[in-house]
Amino acid sequence: MHNAHNLIERYIDGWNETDALRRRNLIEDVYTEHARYTDPMIDANGWEAIDATIVAVQGMFPGHRFSLAGPVDAHHDTLRFQWHLAAPGEDEPLVVGFDVAALEHGRIRQVFGFLDKVPQAA
């Protein structure tokens, strides 16, 4: 369970990393080469597409940070966890999500992302 928590902390770190080289190193460390990330808005396959997705999300929510919002639940090669996206100093997250990750040899090979709370369109 400790390894699962550490992996997901690095996963969250990747979503927060704005330095391109450090972010790419985190992506390659956390995900298998041909990993797939899906949520209601994106279907990204491989390191390049995952990196581009993270950059796009950072552009949509400049200055906001992802955080783990509770324990990582794990069994076999599957993890689930909730996360928040909020501006620094804000108590209420702007976005709340729930991800399920399938592992392969200790790295993420697939993420199924769900959005529980999203900003209302103006």
Side-chain angles (χ1 to χ4, degrees), residues 35-91:
R36 183 175 181 192
Y37 173 89
T38 58
D39 70 24
M41 299 167 49
I42 192 78
D43 186 359
N45 292 287
W47 290 337
E48 292 292 329
I50 292 168
D51 194 10
T53 298
I54 293 171
V55 170
V57 170
Q58 290 174 351
M60 289 172 54
F61 301 100
H64 287 68
R65 305 276 300 166
F66 287 90
S67 62
L68 192 55
V72 176
D73 190 16
H75 68 79
H76 298 85
D77 290 329
T78 307
L79 312 176
R80 69 176 180 158
F81 54 95
Q82 187 177 51
W83 51 264
H84 291 167
L85 177 65
E90 293 290 323
D91 291 332

Side-chain angles (χ1 to χ4, degrees), residues 92-114:
E92 184 68 26
L94 183 64
V95 182
V96 175
F98 182 89
D99 289 357
V100 176
L103 305 183
E104 182 176 290
H105 305 296
R107 293 193 296 165
I108 296 171
R109 71 170 170 79
Q110 173 102 41
V111 175
F112 302 94
F114 297 86

